[in-house]
Amino acid sequence: MEAPGRVAGSPGDPMIGRVLEGRYRLLSRIARGGMATVYEALDLRLDRTVAVKVMHPGLGDDDEFAARFVREARAAARLSHPHVVAVHDQGDDDGTVFLVMELVQGHTLHEVIAKEAPMAPARALELLEPVLSALASAHRAGLVHRDVKPANVLIADDGRVKVADFGLAKAVSADTQHTATQGVLIGTVSYLAPELVVEGRADTRADVYAVGVLLYELLTGVKPHEGETVIQVAYKHVHQDVPPPSQRVPHLPPYVDALVARATARDRTLRPADAAVMLHQVHRVGSALADGVADDPELTEDLAPRLRAGHDDEVDAPAQRGGRGDTAPQVWDEGEMATLLAPMAPPPAAPGGPTGPPPAHPPRQTRAEATTLLRAHHDDRAATPPHGGAGTARAARGRRRRGPLLLALALAVALAAGGGAYWFGWARYTSTPGVILLPQAQAERTLEQAGLEVAYDDPAFSETVPAGQVLATEPSPGDRVLSEGTVTLTVSQGPERYEVPAVARMTEDQAQDALLERKLSFDESIERFSENVPEGQVIRTIPEIRTVLRPGGSVDLVVSKGRQPLRVGDWVGESLEEMRSTLEDRGLVVEVAGEEFSDTVAEGDVISHDPAGGTLFRGETVEAVVSQGPELLPVPSVVGFGVEAARQTLQEAGFEVEIERDDDFISIGFVLRMDPGAGAEAPRGSTVTIVVV
């Protein structure tokens, strides 16, 4: 699991410092997702650093889930592959369900896409090959990932590519719905295969689909299906093909488009059977790219998804059977229906009345009445005897007299029913006026003038409809609505944007939480020294606060390393002025603690300083002792002294003595003169020369 070099310690997270099962001490939080939080931890038993993924509270409360999680973790642990993040252990510490994994120092493919995409096809395939290799190993072991996405592809500092979170999605998904409208979507919706959205079940081909989407994103720098809500994106996966990447990046070889189309076919039977098959196809495309092939029709044809035999018939069959897959036999004879229903056709709309096309099908009541007439018609035919005769003739005349009466009565009933059906099925309805893109107040006036009530749904964000204008209506424009009925408006809030929050002086974890609350993404931490922000707290953000970003916009945190230590250095024997100038430029203060005589350090130079070295923080003081040079002493007069008396006197005064004899030395043994002379000042320890006669 990835460890992006976080500062240890997260005061806002109660899990920090906790030891799970007496073995794994949680040191710092690495990342947090929809299902779990990942921590850097220390394995106390083996004395190694690991990544521990802790399920969010609630997921581990169900005993059945916990058992399933254990089974899937064991299955993932059996995967031994150089491109799979190793699973070391799993456990349940008093309801805290966790997974222990290899710690990968590096970054994610998400960061690579942000920095490099759109990238050259060869580079994209280079990144995908180890991912497919890992998935192929899992597929051979009967394990489906279900959550292939850039954040689960880790790239170590040494360049190794590893796929994380095998088996986790399957363990969680068994109790959740894989739909866009209820439950939990296990897996990032941008990479979900259509069958996961619709059915909630997946096989190896769902992983292939996710890799195909990932390839599209590497090639173009954007996701193939985007929308303002999760539901919109999921809908597009089910109903829209992934477009060819060459639409965004011209001059891509057609066989690259074909590779993406094959992997992302909405019909899973048209995709590669598993990651191993797709890996083979990637190798073929990679070889063509390496050879500089601009177009290879044969390779393109081999890769392009082809419909199965009879597939077109299957697709078209519902329409041929009457639409919507209805396989019931046709009950009505169309000619007979037309004859019977002709008198019931609704009259033309009166001026100012409702407008719009007639209903697509006869009202239910009219069809029921037609059934009655049809049965009466058949019953009347069945009642006629097969042979004639007087009785038969009388009966026939009676029937002829009753016939018109019954027909008139039937027609009256039919007209009444038809009129009622027309009223209930058509006349009491009107068309919903088109008010989309109108300002809210104008839309209200338009609907009220049409005799309709106005209600409001929750406002919604839109990249295309300005704030305050109508984004959608229910019913939609042109749809039928009861006269004096209600039209529900959704008003646009404009583009969904969020300001970068003020997170200065927060801890890094608190700042990340604040970004998540604003639907913004934390990208990376940048450490800087600060004189006024304590270590571990945020100094500022990049971009700066109040910058407006789209949802998911990346924000860097500049985090304090504390005060910057400033080097003092060694200044003994150096000029006080030079020391003062240099250290004050660094931000330190230099003060003279005293002055002393020195026989070895020149006047004005530094004899000593405190501290003698090391570092201080800005504004702190270095105290220096400055030399006054050697001490000067008065030279006592020894002229006329005997030699020994003169020597003793000068030595006691702090001088060395040197004896010279006068040229007219007569061996009397008295001092004739001295140098320096009596009363002069000389440095302590200097030599006084006496001349003896």
Side-chain angles (χ1 to χ4, degrees), residues 415-428:
L415 287 172
Y422 172 68
W423 167 253
F424 284 102
W426 183 263
R428 66 184 184 135

Side-chain angles (χ1 to χ4, degrees), residues 597-599 601-603 627-632 683-684:
F597 293 108
S598 173
D599 296 333
V601 179
E603 182 179 1
S627 172
Q628 292 178 294
E631 183 180 5
L632 296 178
R684 178 186 293 276

Side-chain angles (χ1 to χ4, degrees), residues 363-412:
R364 190 181 305 273
Q365 295 92 333
T366 304
R367 181 171 289 191
E369 183 61 26
T371 305
T372 303
L373 290 175
L374 187 61
R375 287 175 178 168
H377 173 66
H378 286 299
D379 289 346
D380 189 52
R381 290 171 59 187
T384 303
H387 303 289
T392 301
R394 286 193 298 270
R397 286 194 296 273
R399 284 196 298 274
R400 283 195 294 271
R401 287 194 298 270
R402 293 194 303 271
L405 180 62
L406 291 175
L407 180 59
L409 180 61
L411 288 174

Side-chain angles (χ1 to χ4, degrees), residues 11 30 60 104 113 118 133 209 274 303 332 351 413 464 532 554 561 659 692:
I30 296 173
V104 179
I113 291 173
S133 178
Y209 183 91
D274 57 24
L303 292 177
W332 306 98
V413 172
T464 56
N532 47 29
S554 294
K561 294 198 293 184
I659 301 172
V692 180

Side-chain angles (χ1 to χ4, degrees), residues 566 578-589 618:
L566 304 173
E578 184 180 353
M579 174 185 179
R580 190 191 303 276
S581 174
T582 302
L583 294 187
E584 287 183 352
D585 285 346
R586 294 178 185 172
L588 300 176
V589 177
R618 182 177 297 275

Side-chain angles (χ1 to χ4, degrees), residues 556-681:
D556 296 336
L557 299 177
V558 180
V559 180
S560 173
K561 294 198 293 184
R563 302 182 68 187
Q564 181 176 6
L566 304 173
R567 189 174 64 87
V568 173
D570 182 7
W571 295 94
V572 174
E574 303 292 336
S575 164
L576 173 65
E577 293 308 315
E578 184 180 353
M579 174 185 179
R580 190 191 303 276
S581 174
T582 302
L583 294 187
E584 287 183 352
D585 285 346
R586 294 178 185 172
L588 300 176
V589 177
V590 176
E591 292 184 354
V592 176
E595 296 181 343
E596 296 179 1
F597 293 108
S598 173
D599 296 333
T600 58
V601 179
E603 182 179 1
D605 290 350
V606 177
I607 297 174
S608 64
H609 52 81
D610 182 27
T615 61
L616 294 175
F617 295 119
R618 182 177 297 275
E620 293 185 335
T621 300
V622 180
E623 295 183 339
V625 176
V626 181
S627 172
Q628 292 178 294
E631 183 180 5
L632 296 178
L633 302 175
V635 179
S637 176
V638 293
V639 175
F641 283 34
V643 173
E644 291 306 320
R647 187 198 305 274
Q648 182 177 352
T649 300
L650 290 172
Q651 287 178 343
E652 289 176 354
F655 299 102
E656 298 293 329
V657 178
E658 183 177 332
I659 301 172
E660 292 184 1
R661 292 177 179 178
D662 185 72
D663 293 340
D664 298 325
F665 179 72
I666 56 175
S667 190
I668 297 177
F670 291 98
V671 176
L672 178 63
R673 58 182 181 274
M674 53 188 297
D675 183 28
E681 289 187 340

Side-chain angles (χ1 to χ4, degrees), residues 137-204:
S137 175
H139 292 172
R140 284 192 295 271
L143 192 61
V144 180
H145 192 290
R146 294 188 177 214
D147 195 16
V148 177
K149 58 184 178 181
N152 279 338
V153 179
L154 312 182
I155 302 175
D157 291 335
D158 60 5
R160 290 174 298 129
V161 177
K162 287 180 173 279
V163 181
D165 278 2
F166 275 97
L168 181 59
K170 184 177 180 182
V172 178
S173 66
D175 283 337
T176 54
Q177 295 292 324
H178 286 269
T179 70
T181 57
Q182 61 181 0
V184 179
L185 275 170
I186 301 303
T188 304
V189 69
S190 296
Y191 307 92
L192 282 186
E195 62 268 21
L196 265 173
V197 177
V198 175
E199 304 170 15
R201 294 186 299 274
D203 57 18
T204 55

